[in-house]
Amino acid sequence: MIQGRTWLFKRKPTIIASAAVGGPMEAKGPLADDFDLLHGDLWFGQDSFEKAEKKLLEEATERAIHKANLRKEDIQFFLSGDLMNQVITSSFTARTLGIPYLGIFGACSTSMQGLALASVLVDAGFAKYVLSATSSHNAAAEKQYRYPTEYGSQKPPTAQWTVTGAGAAVVAPTGEGPRVTAATIGRIVDLGVSDPFNMGAAMAPAAVDTIQTHFHDLQLSSSAYDLVLTGDLGQVGYTLAHDLLEEQNFRFPKGCYADCGLMIYHPDQPVFSGGSGAGCSATVVFGHIMNRMRRGELKKVLVVATGALLSPISYQQKESIPCIAHAVALEAGGDEKQ
Amino acid sequence: MSDKKKKKLTPIQQQYQDFALKREPKRQLLKNCLYAFFVGGGICLVGQGITQFYIHFFDFNEKTAGNPTSATLIFLSVIMTGLGFYDHIAQKAGAGTLIPVTGFANAMSSAAIEHRSEGYVLGVGGNMFKLAGSVIVFGVFSAFVIALIKVIFTKYLGGF
């Protein structure tokens, strides 16, 4: 069913299992316990950062499948995307898995883009088990989007730190676990910010647009969710999104609005404005948030994953940054409790 | 932002940019300047020490000691880049580590290290000058222009 720009899932597809894998910076962060696997260095025993990211995604997907008590052959579709050119991480992981695969790209919003599409497939009866995953790797992303990792450039306080991490979730029609109730697909919002070291400010209006649309489409009050979670706005974007919403008289109850990019690291870690990257919302949601929902600490959560859809070339050609945000509404599973 | 760029924005975009600018954490200009001054100065001090070392212990004079000093600083910078802490110093020091010859060495070696995974020819060779290339191009060109001006002034106009 569709209401405005929002899909409502009749069968409420279940996230029967999810997994999160992280790197060294994430291991030092406050959410370290919620990762299934953490690595001590950025190489993971590989000889390039690109291969390291592939390993990261492979580990996350294998763990999610394993935790769902399934075999690779049981998964019917694999939806995945990442930040690398031509989504190579995802495609190479799909080569390893051998599951029918759809590569997707939504930059840092890929986590919820994938989860929303997986839920559509399952809800419509086109698939029984769909695996949705995404990853990012700090050094691989720096190499592609910015400067060599060891290059001594000074970053401004508005810059963000790309998360080294991968998250994966297995979506099924029934089972135990958090359920996907609705998803709002974002539209491109570009308010002319062109500084790739200030992506929080670029993405905040996109997050606000999707949040407002979601609440409007479903006629919800601002206290409808226990937690509204943006993907990777960081301190700069988080404040901006909050102030933009407040200008429209839209206020979340205290403590009910958070950002994955701020949750994943301690404030004293050298991450500037906060975490970013496709792995940011993926690891926080598929690790930390899923665990809290399974424990019953959170009942209803709205995840608004934000993406900055720029390329190194578009930025050098002085284009502004087109941004997007996809929202997915999650509800704690009822099967085992009611 | 420049005025030229501002003109291309729609009123809504302009309004948002002002809104965002008000909430943006500012670069700590004074602190950055002081760091740049002292770290950059420190590198020069080390360079001076190396020059004295070469003059004192080897057969160099003030003019000829420049080359081995640069080579030593480049060597140290490349080692520090390879060991992975030049970029951490640079985050604090900014221009202090960028301007001296160590910054140039870092730009080349970091690019070479980064693209090692694509092989020696297409990776290291092809990308080594990715960042340093424009410094060389415009450095050589501006040197040529300055030399031309010098020649015109001294040879044809008799100098001042």
Side-chain angles (χ1 to χ4, degrees), chain A residues 48 143 148-152 154-156 158 190-194 198 201 205 236 240 243-244 247 272, chain B residues 5 13 16-17 19-20 23-25 27 81 84 87 90-92 94 98 106-107 110 114 117-118 131:
Chain A
S48 77
K143 177 178 175 179
T149 41
E150 298 304 331
Y151 179 60
Q154 193 173 39
K155 286 185 180 172
T158 50
D190 183 347
L191 287 185
V193 178
S194 56
N198 194 4
V236 176
L240 278 169
D243 292 358
L244 283 170
E247 266 198 347
F272 314 101
Chain B
K5 217 171 166 187
Q13 287 181 328
Y16 177 68
Q17 306 249 312
F19 182 85
R23 288 156 179 83
E24 191 182 298
R27 282 176 188 254
T81 304
D87 56 326
Q91 176 56 38
K92 285 234 165 207
L98 185 78
N106 166 255
S110 63
E114 188 86 341
S117 59
E118 289 103 88
L131 297 163

mmCIF file of all heavy atoms in Angstrom, chain A residues 48 143 148-152 154-156 158 190-194 198 201 205 236 240 243-244 247 272, chain B residues 5 13 16-17 19-20 23-25 27 81 84 87 90-92 94 98 106-107 110 114 117-118 131:
data_model
loop_
_atom_site.group_PDB
_atom_site.id
_atom_site.type_symbol
_atom_site.label_atom_id
_atom_site.label_comp_id
_atom_site.label_asym_id
_atom_site.label_seq_id
_atom_site.Cartn_x
_atom_site.Cartn_y
_atom_site.Cartn_z
ATOM 1 N N SER A 48 45.126 -4.718 -0.275
ATOM 2 C CA SER A 48 44.649 -3.385 -0.653
ATOM 3 C C SER A 48 43.415 -3.047 0.178
ATOM 4 O O SER A 48 42.751 -3.933 0.713
ATOM 5 C CB SER A 48 44.311 -3.325 -2.147
ATOM 6 O OG SER A 48 43.072 -3.962 -2.394
ATOM 7 N N LYS A 143 40.719 7.420 -0.325
ATOM 8 C CA LYS A 143 41.508 7.273 -1.549
ATOM 9 C C LYS A 143 40.688 7.685 -2.769
ATOM 10 O O LYS A 143 41.166 8.383 -3.648
ATOM 11 C CB LYS A 143 41.961 5.817 -1.658
ATOM 12 C CG LYS A 143 42.745 5.483 -2.918
ATOM 13 C CD LYS A 143 43.185 4.026 -2.871
ATOM 14 C CE LYS A 143 43.871 3.597 -4.151
ATOM 15 N NZ LYS A 143 44.318 2.204 -4.093
ATOM 16 N N PRO A 148 45.216 10.837 -0.808
ATOM 17 C CA PRO A 148 45.806 9.613 -0.270
ATOM 18 C C PRO A 148 45.758 9.625 1.269
ATOM 19 O O PRO A 148 45.835 10.691 1.870
ATOM 20 C CB PRO A 148 47.260 9.672 -0.757
ATOM 21 C CG PRO A 148 47.226 10.512 -1.978
ATOM 22 C CD PRO A 148 46.136 11.503 -1.751
ATOM 23 N N THR A 149 45.602 8.459 1.855
ATOM 24 C CA THR A 149 45.414 8.391 3.316
ATOM 25 C C THR A 149 46.551 9.029 4.101
ATOM 26 O O THR A 149 46.324 9.598 5.150
ATOM 27 C CB THR A 149 45.258 6.938 3.787
ATOM 28 O OG1 THR A 149 46.184 6.140 3.079
ATOM 29 C CG2 THR A 149 43.868 6.432 3.552
ATOM 30 N N GLU A 150 47.774 8.919 3.591
ATOM 31 C CA GLU A 150 48.907 9.452 4.351
ATOM 32 C C GLU A 150 49.236 10.898 3.991
ATOM 33 O O GLU A 150 50.210 11.462 4.483
ATOM 34 C CB GLU A 150 50.155 8.578 4.125
ATOM 35 C CG GLU A 150 50.018 7.138 4.602
ATOM 36 C CD GLU A 150 49.632 7.035 6.066
ATOM 37 O OE1 GLU A 150 49.979 7.952 6.842
ATOM 38 O OE2 GLU A 150 48.981 6.062 6.436
ATOM 39 N N TYR A 151 48.455 11.492 3.100
ATOM 40 C CA TYR A 151 48.725 12.879 2.703
ATOM 41 C C TYR A 151 48.365 13.821 3.845
ATOM 42 O O TYR A 151 47.300 13.688 4.454
ATOM 43 C CB TYR A 151 47.921 13.221 1.442
ATOM 44 C CG TYR A 151 48.103 14.643 0.968
ATOM 45 C CD1 TYR A 151 49.360 15.118 0.619
ATOM 46 C CD2 TYR A 151 47.016 15.502 0.863
ATOM 47 C CE1 TYR A 151 49.536 16.418 0.193
ATOM 48 C CE2 TYR A 151 47.176 16.804 0.428
ATOM 49 C CZ TYR A 151 48.441 17.262 0.094
ATOM 50 O OH TYR A 151 48.601 18.554 -0.329
ATOM 51 N N GLY A 152 49.268 14.743 4.097
ATOM 52 C CA GLY A 152 49.066 15.645 5.237
ATOM 53 C C GLY A 152 48.250 16.862 4.896
ATOM 54 O O GLY A 152 48.785 17.929 4.674
ATOM 55 N N GLN A 154 45.006 19.387 6.113
ATOM 56 C CA GLN A 154 44.285 19.749 7.333
ATOM 57 C C GLN A 154 42.794 19.791 7.055
ATOM 58 O O GLN A 154 42.343 20.516 6.174
ATOM 59 C CB GLN A 154 44.762 21.114 7.816
ATOM 60 C CG GLN A 154 44.312 21.446 9.219
ATOM 61 C CD GLN A 154 44.948 22.739 9.708
ATOM 62 O OE1 GLN A 154 45.092 23.694 8.958
ATOM 63 N NE2 GLN A 154 45.342 22.767 10.956
ATOM 64 N N LYS A 155 42.042 19.008 7.821
ATOM 65 C CA LYS A 155 40.595 18.983 7.596
ATOM 66 C C LYS A 155 39.897 19.960 8.528
ATOM 67 O O LYS A 155 40.289 20.110 9.673
ATOM 68 C CB LYS A 155 40.069 17.569 7.867
ATOM 69 C CG LYS A 155 40.447 16.617 6.766
ATOM 70 C CD LYS A 155 39.822 15.272 6.991
ATOM 71 C CE LYS A 155 40.211 14.336 5.880
ATOM 72 N NZ LYS A 155 39.790 12.982 6.162
ATOM 73 N N PRO A 156 38.843 20.620 8.019
ATOM 74 C CA PRO A 156 38.110 21.555 8.873
ATOM 75 C C PRO A 156 37.225 20.810 9.881
ATOM 76 O O PRO A 156 36.959 19.617 9.705
ATOM 77 C CB PRO A 156 37.253 22.323 7.863
ATOM 78 C CG PRO A 156 37.039 21.366 6.742
ATOM 79 C CD PRO A 156 38.283 20.537 6.665
ATOM 80 N N THR A 158 34.206 20.778 10.214
ATOM 81 C CA THR A 158 32.940 20.305 9.656
ATOM 82 C C THR A 158 33.098 18.967 8.924
ATOM 83 O O THR A 158 32.117 18.358 8.525
ATOM 84 C CB THR A 158 32.373 21.319 8.640
ATOM 85 O OG1 THR A 158 33.413 21.647 7.717
ATOM 86 C CG2 THR A 158 31.890 22.574 9.312
ATOM 87 N N ASP A 190 18.871 19.631 -2.933
ATOM 88 C CA ASP A 190 20.187 20.244 -3.125
ATOM 89 C C ASP A 190 20.065 21.732 -2.831
ATOM 90 O O ASP A 190 19.493 22.485 -3.602
ATOM 91 C CB ASP A 190 20.654 20.007 -4.569
ATOM 92 C CG ASP A 190 22.049 20.564 -4.811
ATOM 93 O OD1 ASP A 190 22.538 21.336 -3.958
ATOM 94 O OD2 ASP A 190 22.644 20.230 -5.848
ATOM 95 N N LEU A 191 20.563 22.121 -1.672
ATOM 96 C CA LEU A 191 20.474 23.537 -1.328
ATOM 97 C C LEU A 191 21.783 24.262 -1.600
ATOM 98 O O LEU A 191 22.122 25.256 -0.960
ATOM 99 C CB LEU A 191 20.002 23.712 0.119
ATOM 100 C CG LEU A 191 18.513 23.398 0.329
ATOM 101 C CD1 LEU A 191 18.067 23.689 1.739
ATOM 102 C CD2 LEU A 191 17.626 24.162 -0.651
ATOM 103 N N GLY A 192 22.548 23.716 -2.523
ATOM 104 C CA GLY A 192 23.698 24.461 -3.033
ATOM 105 C C GLY A 192 24.990 24.316 -2.251
ATOM 106 O O GLY A 192 25.952 25.007 -2.545
ATOM 107 N N VAL A 193 25.014 23.432 -1.253
ATOM 108 C CA VAL A 193 26.276 23.228 -0.525
ATOM 109 C C VAL A 193 27.200 22.412 -1.431
ATOM 110 O O VAL A 193 26.813 21.369 -1.946
ATOM 111 C CB VAL A 193 26.041 22.491 0.817
ATOM 112 C CG1 VAL A 193 27.364 22.234 1.528
ATOM 113 C CG2 VAL A 193 25.102 23.287 1.700
ATOM 114 N N SER A 194 28.419 22.904 -1.638
ATOM 115 C CA SER A 194 29.314 22.200 -2.558
ATOM 116 C C SER A 194 30.605 21.750 -1.882
ATOM 117 O O SER A 194 31.476 21.200 -2.526
ATOM 118 C CB SER A 194 29.633 23.099 -3.748
ATOM 119 O OG SER A 194 30.180 24.316 -3.279
ATOM 120 N N ASN A 198 31.877 19.358 4.238
ATOM 121 C CA ASN A 198 30.756 19.807 5.060
ATOM 122 C C ASN A 198 29.490 19.090 4.602
ATOM 123 O O ASN A 198 28.501 19.708 4.232
ATOM 124 C CB ASN A 198 30.595 21.332 4.957
ATOM 125 C CG ASN A 198 29.687 21.875 6.035
ATOM 126 O OD1 ASN A 198 29.232 21.129 6.906
ATOM 127 N ND2 ASN A 198 29.414 23.164 5.977
ATOM 128 N N ALA A 201 25.979 19.584 6.546
ATOM 129 C CA ALA A 201 25.158 20.729 6.151
ATOM 130 C C ALA A 201 24.464 20.463 4.816
ATOM 131 O O ALA A 201 23.348 20.902 4.590
ATOM 132 C CB ALA A 201 26.020 21.987 6.047
ATOM 133 N N PRO A 205 19.031 19.168 4.961
ATOM 134 C CA PRO A 205 17.707 19.467 4.372
ATOM 135 C C PRO A 205 17.029 18.229 3.773
ATOM 136 O O PRO A 205 15.798 18.114 3.818
ATOM 137 C CB PRO A 205 18.024 20.482 3.270
ATOM 138 C CG PRO A 205 19.332 21.076 3.648
ATOM 139 C CD PRO A 205 20.095 19.990 4.324
ATOM 140 N N VAL A 236 27.363 18.818 12.908
ATOM 141 C CA VAL A 236 26.933 19.978 12.113
ATOM 142 C C VAL A 236 25.539 19.746 11.534
ATOM 143 O O VAL A 236 24.627 20.557 11.719
ATOM 144 C CB VAL A 236 27.939 20.247 10.965
ATOM 145 C CG1 VAL A 236 27.450 21.381 10.087
ATOM 146 C CG2 VAL A 236 29.313 20.568 11.529
ATOM 147 N N LEU A 240 21.724 21.297 12.472
ATOM 148 C CA LEU A 240 20.983 21.971 11.405
ATOM 149 C C LEU A 240 19.607 21.345 11.198
ATOM 150 O O LEU A 240 18.605 22.063 11.085
ATOM 151 C CB LEU A 240 21.772 21.907 10.092
ATOM 152 C CG LEU A 240 22.873 22.946 9.921
ATOM 153 C CD1 LEU A 240 23.739 22.598 8.731
ATOM 154 C CD2 LEU A 240 22.270 24.334 9.747
ATOM 155 N N ASP A 243 17.340 22.324 14.016
ATOM 156 C CA ASP A 243 16.888 23.716 13.930
ATOM 157 C C ASP A 243 15.907 23.929 12.775
ATOM 158 O O ASP A 243 14.968 24.713 12.890
ATOM 159 C CB ASP A 243 18.090 24.653 13.782
ATOM 160 C CG ASP A 243 18.931 24.692 15.060
ATOM 161 O OD1 ASP A 243 18.533 24.025 16.040
ATOM 162 O OD2 ASP A 243 19.971 25.361 15.067
ATOM 163 N N LEU A 244 16.153 23.223 11.658
ATOM 164 C CA LEU A 244 15.235 23.343 10.515
ATOM 165 C C LEU A 244 13.849 22.824 10.882
ATOM 166 O O LEU A 244 12.833 23.423 10.531
ATOM 167 C CB LEU A 244 15.771 22.556 9.318
ATOM 168 C CG LEU A 244 16.910 23.177 8.512
ATOM 169 C CD1 LEU A 244 17.466 22.166 7.522
ATOM 170 C CD2 LEU A 244 16.449 24.428 7.768
ATOM 171 N N GLU A 247 12.107 25.237 13.217
ATOM 172 C CA GLU A 247 11.562 26.392 12.503
ATOM 173 C C GLU A 247 10.155 26.121 11.982
ATOM 174 O O GLU A 247 9.353 27.015 11.834
ATOM 175 C CB GLU A 247 12.466 26.740 11.313
ATOM 176 C CG GLU A 247 13.490 27.799 11.619
ATOM 177 C CD GLU A 247 14.053 28.426 10.352
ATOM 178 O OE1 GLU A 247 13.833 27.863 9.265
ATOM 179 O OE2 GLU A 247 14.702 29.470 10.460
ATOM 180 N N PHE A 272 36.256 14.672 13.940
ATOM 181 C CA PHE A 272 35.697 15.964 13.541
ATOM 182 C C PHE A 272 34.216 16.042 13.903
ATOM 183 O O PHE A 272 33.871 15.891 15.061
ATOM 184 C CB PHE A 272 35.928 16.228 12.049
ATOM 185 C CG PHE A 272 37.342 15.921 11.633
ATOM 186 C CD1 PHE A 272 37.667 14.744 10.982
ATOM 187 C CD2 PHE A 272 38.366 16.804 11.957
ATOM 188 C CE1 PHE A 272 38.974 14.461 10.634
ATOM 189 C CE2 PHE A 272 39.668 16.520 11.626
ATOM 190 C CZ PHE A 272 39.981 15.350 10.952
ATOM 191 N N LYS B 5 29.966 32.982 -7.074
ATOM 192 C CA LYS B 5 29.317 31.707 -6.802
ATOM 193 C C LYS B 5 27.927 31.933 -6.199
ATOM 194 O O LYS B 5 26.992 31.207 -6.480
ATOM 195 C CB LYS B 5 30.182 30.917 -5.829
ATOM 196 C CG LYS B 5 30.190 29.439 -6.132
ATOM 197 C CD LYS B 5 31.237 28.790 -5.278
ATOM 198 C CE LYS B 5 31.085 27.306 -5.261
ATOM 199 N NZ LYS B 5 31.997 26.715 -4.293
ATOM 200 N N GLN B 13 18.237 28.579 -1.679
ATOM 201 C CA GLN B 13 19.575 28.045 -1.420
ATOM 202 C C GLN B 13 20.402 29.058 -0.634
ATOM 203 O O GLN B 13 21.093 28.704 0.315
ATOM 204 C CB GLN B 13 20.277 27.722 -2.745
ATOM 205 C CG GLN B 13 19.716 26.476 -3.413
ATOM 206 C CD GLN B 13 20.433 26.146 -4.708
ATOM 207 O OE1 GLN B 13 20.887 27.043 -5.410
ATOM 208 N NE2 GLN B 13 20.541 24.879 -5.017
ATOM 209 N N TYR B 16 19.365 29.160 2.950
ATOM 210 C CA TYR B 16 19.864 28.012 3.702
ATOM 211 C C TYR B 16 21.357 28.127 3.993
ATOM 212 O O TYR B 16 21.811 27.803 5.085
ATOM 213 C CB TYR B 16 19.574 26.700 2.963
ATOM 214 C CG TYR B 16 20.151 25.505 3.696
ATOM 215 C CD1 TYR B 16 19.631 25.109 4.929
ATOM 216 C CD2 TYR B 16 21.246 24.818 3.190
ATOM 217 C CE1 TYR B 16 20.180 24.049 5.628
ATOM 218 C CE2 TYR B 16 21.802 23.751 3.882
ATOM 219 C CZ TYR B 16 21.259 23.365 5.101
ATOM 220 O OH TYR B 16 21.813 22.329 5.795
ATOM 221 N N GLN B 17 22.102 28.610 3.003
ATOM 222 C CA GLN B 17 23.550 28.742 3.208
ATOM 223 C C GLN B 17 23.847 29.694 4.359
ATOM 224 O O GLN B 17 24.740 29.447 5.162
ATOM 225 C CB GLN B 17 24.212 29.241 1.928
ATOM 226 C CG GLN B 17 23.883 28.396 0.726
ATOM 227 C CD GLN B 17 25.044 27.608 0.188
ATOM 228 O OE1 GLN B 17 26.116 28.141 0.000
ATOM 229 N NE2 GLN B 17 24.835 26.346 -0.051
ATOM 230 N N PHE B 19 21.791 30.303 6.827
ATOM 231 C CA PHE B 19 21.290 29.567 7.994
ATOM 232 C C PHE B 19 22.366 28.584 8.485
ATOM 233 O O PHE B 19 22.659 28.494 9.673
ATOM 234 C CB PHE B 19 20.021 28.817 7.557
ATOM 235 C CG PHE B 19 19.333 28.034 8.636
ATOM 236 C CD1 PHE B 19 18.428 28.649 9.491
ATOM 237 C CD2 PHE B 19 19.564 26.670 8.778
ATOM 238 C CE1 PHE B 19 17.770 27.923 10.467
ATOM 239 C CE2 PHE B 19 18.913 25.938 9.761
ATOM 240 C CZ PHE B 19 18.016 26.570 10.604
ATOM 241 N N ALA B 20 22.981 27.873 7.521
ATOM 242 C CA ALA B 20 23.982 26.867 7.866
ATOM 243 C C ALA B 20 25.279 27.513 8.350
ATOM 244 O O ALA B 20 25.912 27.021 9.281
ATOM 245 C CB ALA B 20 24.265 25.969 6.664
ATOM 246 N N ARG B 23 25.561 28.341 11.979
ATOM 247 C CA ARG B 23 25.684 27.233 12.912
ATOM 248 C C ARG B 23 26.966 26.412 12.699
ATOM 249 O O ARG B 23 27.183 25.421 13.348
ATOM 250 C CB ARG B 23 24.464 26.325 12.767
ATOM 251 C CG ARG B 23 23.214 26.947 13.330
ATOM 252 C CD ARG B 23 21.968 26.352 12.693
ATOM 253 N NE ARG B 23 20.779 26.953 13.270
ATOM 254 C CZ ARG B 23 20.271 28.113 12.864
ATOM 255 N NH1 ARG B 23 20.849 28.794 11.900
ATOM 256 N NH2 ARG B 23 19.193 28.593 13.445
ATOM 257 N N GLU B 24 27.763 26.846 11.739
ATOM 258 C CA GLU B 24 28.946 26.064 11.381
ATOM 259 C C GLU B 24 30.089 26.278 12.374
ATOM 260 O O GLU B 24 30.390 27.413 12.716
ATOM 261 C CB GLU B 24 29.390 26.507 9.976
ATOM 262 C CG GLU B 24 30.431 25.639 9.350
ATOM 263 C CD GLU B 24 30.850 26.192 7.985
ATOM 264 O OE1 GLU B 24 29.984 26.265 7.092
ATOM 265 O OE2 GLU B 24 32.017 26.546 7.840
ATOM 266 N N PRO B 25 30.708 25.200 12.856
ATOM 267 C CA PRO B 25 31.869 25.407 13.720
ATOM 268 C C PRO B 25 33.006 26.038 12.921
ATOM 269 O O PRO B 25 33.289 25.621 11.799
ATOM 270 C CB PRO B 25 32.236 23.987 14.170
ATOM 271 C CG PRO B 25 31.600 23.077 13.192
ATOM 272 C CD PRO B 25 30.424 23.786 12.615
ATOM 273 N N ARG B 27 36.810 27.299 11.867
ATOM 274 C CA ARG B 27 38.207 26.888 11.988
ATOM 275 C C ARG B 27 38.857 27.793 13.033
ATOM 276 O O ARG B 27 38.609 29.000 13.041
ATOM 277 C CB ARG B 27 38.934 27.112 10.656
ATOM 278 C CG ARG B 27 38.665 26.058 9.618
ATOM 279 C CD ARG B 27 39.378 26.467 8.344
ATOM 280 N NE ARG B 27 39.043 25.621 7.214
ATOM 281 C CZ ARG B 27 39.876 24.696 6.711
ATOM 282 N NH1 ARG B 27 41.054 24.509 7.241
ATOM 283 N NH2 ARG B 27 39.521 23.965 5.684
ATOM 284 N N THR B 81 56.024 9.643 6.569
ATOM 285 C CA THR B 81 54.807 9.355 5.799
ATOM 286 C C THR B 81 54.565 7.852 5.763
ATOM 287 O O THR B 81 53.458 7.376 6.018
ATOM 288 C CB THR B 81 54.938 9.887 4.361
ATOM 289 O OG1 THR B 81 55.228 11.270 4.414
ATOM 290 C CG2 THR B 81 53.660 9.666 3.571
ATOM 291 N N GLY B 84 53.324 6.453 8.838
ATOM 292 C CA GLY B 84 51.919 6.831 9.070
ATOM 293 C C GLY B 84 51.682 7.903 10.096
ATOM 294 O O GLY B 84 50.581 8.031 10.599
ATOM 295 N N ASP B 87 50.705 12.592 8.456
ATOM 296 C CA ASP B 87 49.364 13.167 8.286
ATOM 297 C C ASP B 87 48.746 13.588 9.617
ATOM 298 O O ASP B 87 47.965 14.522 9.670
ATOM 299 C CB ASP B 87 48.436 12.203 7.523
ATOM 300 C CG ASP B 87 48.324 10.848 8.185
ATOM 301 O OD1 ASP B 87 49.313 10.384 8.775
ATOM 302 O OD2 ASP B 87 47.238 10.235 8.104
ATOM 303 N N ALA B 90 50.274 16.847 10.406
ATOM 304 C CA ALA B 90 49.762 17.839 9.464
ATOM 305 C C ALA B 90 48.358 18.313 9.833
ATOM 306 O O ALA B 90 48.004 19.461 9.586
ATOM 307 C CB ALA B 90 49.756 17.273 8.050
ATOM 308 N N GLN B 91 47.539 17.434 10.417
ATOM 309 C CA GLN B 91 46.186 17.837 10.824
ATOM 310 C C GLN B 91 46.265 19.008 11.801
ATOM 311 O O GLN B 91 45.437 19.907 11.779
ATOM 312 C CB GLN B 91 45.442 16.646 11.437
ATOM 313 C CG GLN B 91 44.059 16.966 11.983
ATOM 314 C CD GLN B 91 43.128 17.596 10.940
ATOM 315 O OE1 GLN B 91 43.130 17.230 9.775
ATOM 316 N NE2 GLN B 91 42.341 18.581 11.361
ATOM 317 N N LYS B 92 47.292 18.994 12.665
ATOM 318 C CA LYS B 92 47.471 20.098 13.620
ATOM 319 C C LYS B 92 48.216 21.260 12.976
ATOM 320 O O LYS B 92 47.866 22.415 13.171
ATOM 321 C CB LYS B 92 48.287 19.598 14.827
ATOM 322 C CG LYS B 92 47.482 18.717 15.759
ATOM 323 C CD LYS B 92 47.534 19.243 17.170
ATOM 324 C CE LYS B 92 46.460 18.589 17.977
ATOM 325 N NZ LYS B 92 45.899 19.166 19.046
ATOM 326 N N GLY B 94 48.894 22.049 9.696
ATOM 327 C CA GLY B 94 48.386 22.690 8.481
ATOM 328 C C GLY B 94 49.503 23.138 7.558
ATOM 329 O O GLY B 94 50.318 22.327 7.115
ATOM 330 N N LEU B 98 52.953 21.744 5.301
ATOM 331 C CA LEU B 98 52.671 21.711 3.859
ATOM 332 C C LEU B 98 53.716 22.493 3.062
ATOM 333 O O LEU B 98 54.163 22.062 2.009
ATOM 334 C CB LEU B 98 51.269 22.293 3.598
ATOM 335 C CG LEU B 98 50.769 22.226 2.160
ATOM 336 C CD1 LEU B 98 50.291 20.825 1.841
ATOM 337 C CD2 LEU B 98 49.641 23.220 1.926
ATOM 338 N N ASN B 106 55.942 14.552 1.171
ATOM 339 C CA ASN B 106 54.770 13.832 1.673
ATOM 340 C C ASN B 106 53.715 13.655 0.585
ATOM 341 O O ASN B 106 53.125 12.574 0.435
ATOM 342 C CB ASN B 106 54.187 14.584 2.880
ATOM 343 C CG ASN B 106 52.798 14.116 3.241
ATOM 344 O OD1 ASN B 106 51.815 14.785 2.972
ATOM 345 N ND2 ASN B 106 52.715 12.944 3.834
ATOM 346 N N ALA B 107 53.492 14.707 -0.212
ATOM 347 C CA ALA B 107 52.496 14.631 -1.282
ATOM 348 C C ALA B 107 52.858 13.537 -2.279
ATOM 349 O O ALA B 107 51.997 12.771 -2.720
ATOM 350 C CB ALA B 107 52.388 15.981 -1.991
ATOM 351 N N SER B 110 52.999 9.864 -0.326
ATOM 352 C CA SER B 110 51.686 9.350 0.088
ATOM 353 C C SER B 110 50.908 8.832 -1.129
ATOM 354 O O SER B 110 50.261 7.782 -1.064
ATOM 355 C CB SER B 110 50.889 10.427 0.819
ATOM 356 O OG SER B 110 50.615 11.512 -0.033
ATOM 357 N N GLU B 114 49.811 5.004 -1.680
ATOM 358 C CA GLU B 114 48.378 4.768 -1.846
ATOM 359 C C GLU B 114 48.075 3.890 -3.072
ATOM 360 O O GLU B 114 47.208 3.039 -3.035
ATOM 361 C CB GLU B 114 47.678 6.117 -2.008
ATOM 362 C CG GLU B 114 46.177 6.055 -2.004
ATOM 363 C CD GLU B 114 45.618 6.106 -0.597
ATOM 364 O OE1 GLU B 114 46.362 5.838 0.367
ATOM 365 O OE2 GLU B 114 44.432 6.406 -0.472
ATOM 366 N N SER B 117 48.863 -0.596 -4.783
ATOM 367 C CA SER B 117 48.008 -1.761 -5.056
ATOM 368 C C SER B 117 47.646 -1.874 -6.534
ATOM 369 O O SER B 117 47.195 -2.923 -6.979
ATOM 370 C CB SER B 117 46.731 -1.697 -4.210
ATOM 371 O OG SER B 117 46.013 -0.523 -4.500
ATOM 372 N N GLU B 118 47.825 -0.824 -7.308
ATOM 373 C CA GLU B 118 47.533 -0.884 -8.743
ATOM 374 C C GLU B 118 48.785 -1.183 -9.566
ATOM 375 O O GLU B 118 48.780 -1.004 -10.773
ATOM 376 C CB GLU B 118 46.894 0.426 -9.220
ATOM 377 C CG GLU B 118 45.477 0.625 -8.722
ATOM 378 C CD GLU B 118 45.399 1.616 -7.591
ATOM 379 O OE1 GLU B 118 45.277 2.818 -7.833
ATOM 380 O OE2 GLU B 118 45.483 1.160 -6.417
ATOM 381 N N LEU B 131 49.242 14.680 -6.882
ATOM 382 C CA LEU B 131 49.108 15.917 -6.118
ATOM 383 C C LEU B 131 50.258 16.873 -6.412
ATOM 384 O O LEU B 131 50.077 18.075 -6.497
ATOM 385 C CB LEU B 131 49.087 15.599 -4.623
ATOM 386 C CG LEU B 131 47.911 14.752 -4.145
ATOM 387 C CD1 LEU B 131 48.204 14.168 -2.790
ATOM 388 C CD2 LEU B 131 46.645 15.572 -4.100
#
